[in-house]
Amino acid sequence: MIKKFLSFFTGNAASGEQKPSSNKEHAMFCNQCEQTAKGTGCTQIGVCGKQPEVSDIQDLVVYSLRGLSLAALKTGNKDLALGHFTAKMLFTTLTNVNFDPARFQTFISDIVAKRDELLTKGGASLPAGPGTYKPASTIDGLVAQAEGHGVADFDSNDDIRSVKQLLVYGLKGLAAYADHAGILGQQDEKVYDFLYKALAAGYDGVERDLNAWVGLLLECGNVNLRAMELLDAGNTGTYGHPVPTEVPLGQKKGKAILVSGHDLKDLHELLKQTEGKGINIYTHGEMLPCHGYPELKKYPHFYGHFGTAWQNQHKEFPAFPGAILFTTNCIQKPQDSYKANVFTTGLVGWPGLVHCENRDFTPVIKRALELPGFTEDKPGKTVLTGFGRNAVLGVADKVIDAVKAGAIRHFFLVGGCDGAKPGRNYYTEFVEKTPKDTVVLTLACGKFRFFDKQIGDIGGIPRLLDVGQCNDAYSAVQIAVALANAFNCGVNDLPLSLVLSWYEQKAVVILLTLLALGIKDIRLGPSLPAFVSPNVLNFLVENYNIKPISTPDEDLKAILG
C-alpha cells in the first residue's frame, strides 16, 4: 500500500497545491479546520476568532513540545505525568480550545522548564533547535520567535508537507483523547511514547522519506484507537455504561447552569457542588450524551439539554437565563450580551473570562444564583441518547435477526463535527431520506443537524441511535466489529456506510484510525481538508475509496442501488 502511495509522486512540486507563503507577508497562516478561509487558510484572523498572535504562539507551543519530546526520548523518560502534560499542552492548540495569549505564554515556559529539568537530571544535552529553544519574556517576543515554525515551513515539497500536516493535526486529536482518558486515570505509556516519537520526527536526526512519514500517519491512527479505548474505559468505568435515555429539550422553572464541551468529570463535580442549591443543570452541544450515564443520571437537578451545536452559541446563549460553563473546547468569542455569564475551566481560555481552577465552580454557582433563571416550566420535545456499544450490543440478537429477516437492509453511520459553513444541510436531508428499513447510527455534534427528527423504529429498535460524543467513536467501532463477527465477515463487507462530517482535529485522527483499521468507502464532507494535496488525496481515493459527499439522493442511490 505504501509503495502504491509512493508511485503517485513524480516530482517536488507536481501536485499544484497552493503553498502558504513562509516569508511572513501576512501575520498568520492556519488551515487546520474545515472552515478555513477561502478553503486554503486563514491569514488575517481565524474564522474561529483566533487572533494572529495566538496562532503564532500556538505554533511555538508545538515547537516547544518537540523539544520536550526530544528530551523525553533522549533520557528514556517513562513518567506518565509528563506524558499527560505533553498531551494537555498539545490539546491547547486544537481549534476552539484556548484563545488567551497570556496563558500560552505560561504554557511555553512550563514546557521548556520541564525539558530542561529532564536534560539536567539525565545529564544529557540536545543539538540546537527545539531542544535548546529559550522563550522570550514577552508575548511580542514570542510572536517574533514563532517565525519559521508554522505549517508553511514544514517542507518545500507540497506532498510531504501535506502528510506532515496530517500527522500534526492527527496528533492534536490524539492528545485530546489521551487527556480526556488521563483525567479519569486511564493512561498507557505507549500512547505517550508515540506522542514523543511523532513530535520529535523531523528534529531527531533521522532521515525520513515519504514512506516513513506515511508509516507515522498510520501508526497515529492505531495509537489513537488505544487512546479511545482508554477513554471509553475511563468514562464507563467511572460513570457506568450509558443506557437509552429520554432527554427533555424544554425548560424547567428555576435557576440554571449550562455546561458545554466534553468533560464528564467537570460535569460530575458541578452536579455535586450544586446539590440542594435550587439550580438545574442543562447540557449543551457534545454534553448531551452525558444524560445516559447512570452515575450522572442519579442527580435529580440534572434536567435537560439546551441548544444545538457549538457554532450556534451566538444565537442561542443570549436566551439562556443562567451561567454558562465551558469545558475542554468549542468556545466562540462571547458576545457582550452574555459575556458576564460565561466561565471556563480546564484547558479552555478566552481573555477576560473568569477561569475556574481545580474544578472549583463557586463563581459559576454564584452567577447562576444572581441571574433570573427560567421563570416558568415550558415542556418541549424530547430526544433519545445513550446508545453506546453496551446498549446496542445488549440487543444485538434482535438487530441480527432483523437483518437476517430483511427488516433492516442497511446501517448508516452519519456523524462527526458540525460547523457553520454552507453545505451541512446535506446531513439533515440525508437522514430524512434514508429508507424506513435502514438504521442511522450517529455521534458527535454533527448529530444536531437531525437529532430531534422523528424517523420511527424497526420492530422496537429506534431508527436513529445516538452513540454519543466524538469521544465515543470507540463505541461505534466496537459495534461495527461485533456485527462483522456475528455475520462472519469483514467490516467492509457489512451493509454499513460511513457518511462523515469533519471540522477539527479530533475528526482528523478518527479518520486516521478508520484508515489504519482498513475501513473503506467513507464519504466525507462538507469539503475536503485544505491541507491534503492532490497527490495525497489521490492516494486516499485509490487505496481507501474515500469520496466527497455529493447530494443525498445521489449518494443514497450509489450506496443502496
Side-chain angles (χ1 to χ4, degrees):
M1 178 172 57
I2 292 177
K3 287 182 178 178
K4 192 170 184 178
F5 182 29
L6 291 172
S7 72
F8 288 114
F9 299 89
T10 57
N12 202 39
S15 74
E17 180 199 14
Q18 285 193 337
K19 179 187 175 184
S21 170
S22 60
N23 61 8
K24 288 291 179 178
E25 291 176 354
H26 48 255
M28 67 178 287
F29 185 87
C30 181
N31 65 356
Q32 68 180 12
C33 84
E34 189 269 335
Q35 291 180 190
T36 190
K38 299 179 181 179
T40 56
C42 296
T43 59
Q44 302 299 324
I45 184 174
V47 292
C48 62
K50 181 164 59 177
Q51 296 296 316
E53 65 177 9
V54 172
S55 179
D56 286 344
I57 297 176
Q58 286 181 344
D59 290 339
L60 203 55
V61 169
V62 176
Y63 184 69
S64 301
L65 286 171
R66 295 188 190 280
L68 177 60
S69 297
L70 288 167
L73 294 172
K74 181 80 170 181
T75 59
N77 185 274
K78 297 294 182 182
D79 180 15
L80 292 177
L82 183 71
H84 193 187
F85 170 82
T86 302
K88 281 182 178 294
M89 293 298 96
L90 190 55
F91 187 10
T92 65
T93 69
L94 189 143
T95 301
N96 290 89
V97 176
N98 199 311
F99 297 80
D100 190 342
R103 288 184 66 192
F104 280 114
Q105 184 178 21
T106 300
F107 295 158
I108 290 172
S109 294
D110 291 345
I111 293 167
V112 171
K114 288 183 183 297
R115 180 203 70 195
D116 290 347
E117 182 182 2
L118 270 183
L119 294 172
T120 299
K121 286 184 177 179
S125 62
L126 293 170
T132 59
Y133 160 68
K134 300 297 182 185
S137 60
T138 65
I139 290 174
D140 286 343
L142 292 173
V143 170
Q145 288 181 331
E147 175 96 23
H149 301 309
V151 294
D153 307 288
F154 277 3
D155 205 278
S156 60
N157 180 297
D158 292 341
D159 301 313
I160 293 180
R161 186 175 66 253
S162 179
V163 175
K164 286 182 176 181
Q165 283 184 262
L166 260 173
L167 179 61
V168 167
Y169 297 156
L171 290 174
K172 292 185 180 190
L174 168 61
Y177 292 129
D179 177 41
H180 289 308
I183 286 170
L184 295 172
Q186 295 290 325
Q187 301 185 80
D188 185 339
E189 68 178 33
K190 293 179 181 178
V191 174
Y192 299 145
D193 285 347
F194 177 74
L195 275 179
Y196 299 145
K197 172 184 172 182
L199 283 168
Y203 298 86
D204 55 1
V206 177
E207 291 293 329
R208 290 176 175 85
D209 59 12
L210 201 51
N211 183 21
W213 286 108
V214 174
L216 280 175
L217 269 187
L218 297 178
E219 189 176 354
C220 183
N222 275 316
V223 172
N224 186 61
L225 182 64
R226 174 58 178 155
M228 290 194 300
E229 180 184 27
L230 291 168
L231 176 54
D232 179 87
N235 284 338
T236 59
T238 306
Y239 304 109
H241 281 276
V243 296
T245 301
E246 198 170 14
V247 183
L249 299 181
Q251 64 189 48
K252 187 176 184 180
K253 183 179 179 179
K255 306 292 186 178
I257 294 175
L258 185 63
V259 185
S260 192
H262 301 79
D263 196 276
L264 272 63
K265 187 169 184 178
D266 288 337
L267 173 60
H268 190 211
E269 288 299 319
L270 180 67
L271 287 167
K272 290 193 292 186
Q273 293 176 36
T274 50
E275 279 189 288
K277 289 184 167 59
I279 301 173
N280 295 314
I281 306 300
Y282 296 76
T283 54
H284 171 264
E286 288 262 49
M287 298 300 284
L288 168 63
C290 296
H291 289 275
Y293 286 90
E295 289 302 307
L296 301 177
K297 282 166 59 72
K298 69 183 185 181
Y299 290 89
H301 61 300
F302 188 26
Y303 174 65
H305 187 79
F306 180 91
T308 52
W310 65 272
Q311 79 278 0
N312 297 321
Q313 58 193 262
H314 286 167
K315 300 176 184 177
E316 296 169 349
F317 285 4
F320 189 77
I324 301 166
L325 175 65
F326 272 96
T327 74
T328 66
N329 60 310
C330 296
I331 192 170
Q332 286 185 300
K333 180 180 180 179
Q335 294 180 335
D336 290 341
S337 61
Y338 63 84
K339 185 175 182 179
N341 304 336
V342 179
F343 300 80
T344 61
T345 192
L347 300 179
V348 189
W350 193 279
L353 296 186
V354 174
H355 186 75
C356 299
E357 298 284 1
N358 303 315
R359 296 187 176 86
D360 178 1
F361 299 124
T362 302
V364 187
I365 295 168
K366 180 176 181 293
R367 184 58 178 160
L369 293 172
E370 293 170 349
L371 291 166
F374 290 108
T375 57
E376 59 180 336
D377 291 335
K378 279 190 179 179
K381 286 183 178 181
T382 61
V383 295
L384 282 171
T385 191
F387 293 96
R389 76 176 193 283
N390 207 51
V392 174
L393 297 181
V395 295
D397 56 339
K398 296 179 181 178
V399 173
I400 293 165
D401 288 345
V403 174
K404 290 180 177 178
I408 296 178
R409 178 174 31 148
H410 204 85
F411 297 90
F412 297 98
L413 176 58
V414 186
C417 308
D418 203 2
K421 196 172 181 179
R424 291 180 180 268
N425 58 314
Y426 164 94
Y427 298 94
T428 308
E429 188 179 346
F430 186 96
V431 169
E432 290 176 333
K433 290 185 173 181
T434 53
K436 295 186 183 300
D437 58 355
T438 62
V439 172
V440 177
L441 302 168
T442 189
L443 76 167
C445 63
K447 72 166 77 59
F448 289 108
R449 293 285 167 171
F450 48 80
F451 80 124
D452 58 351
K453 302 295 180 184
Q454 302 298 318
I455 62 172
D457 66 277
I458 300 174
I461 301 169
R463 286 194 54 230
L464 181 60
L465 300 174
D466 180 7
V467 177
Q469 300 179 338
C470 63
N471 293 5
D472 297 310
Y474 181 78
S475 261
V477 169
Q478 293 306 306
I479 291 169
V481 169
L483 288 174
N485 290 337
F487 290 108
N488 195 28
C489 67
V491 171
N492 288 317
D493 300 315
L494 284 171
L496 168 67
S497 298
L498 279 64
V499 184
L500 306 180
S501 55
W502 81 282
Y503 172 69
E504 41 94 319
Q505 297 80 66
K506 283 184 281 185
V508 172
V509 80
I510 288 174
L511 178 62
L512 293 180
T513 296
L514 294 174
L515 299 183
L517 290 170
I519 295 176
K520 299 183 178 182
D521 299 316
I522 299 170
R523 282 174 166 79
L524 186 65
S527 62
L528 296 178
F531 46 83
V532 173
S533 71
N535 279 337
V536 173
L537 178 60
N538 194 25
F539 163 70
L540 295 176
V541 171
E542 290 288 329
N543 288 278
Y544 298 98
N545 201 27
I546 285 182
K547 50 182 74 70
I549 59 172
S550 56
T551 69
D553 289 326
E554 291 173 353
D555 288 345
L556 282 167
K557 183 178 180 180
I559 292 168
L560 298 174

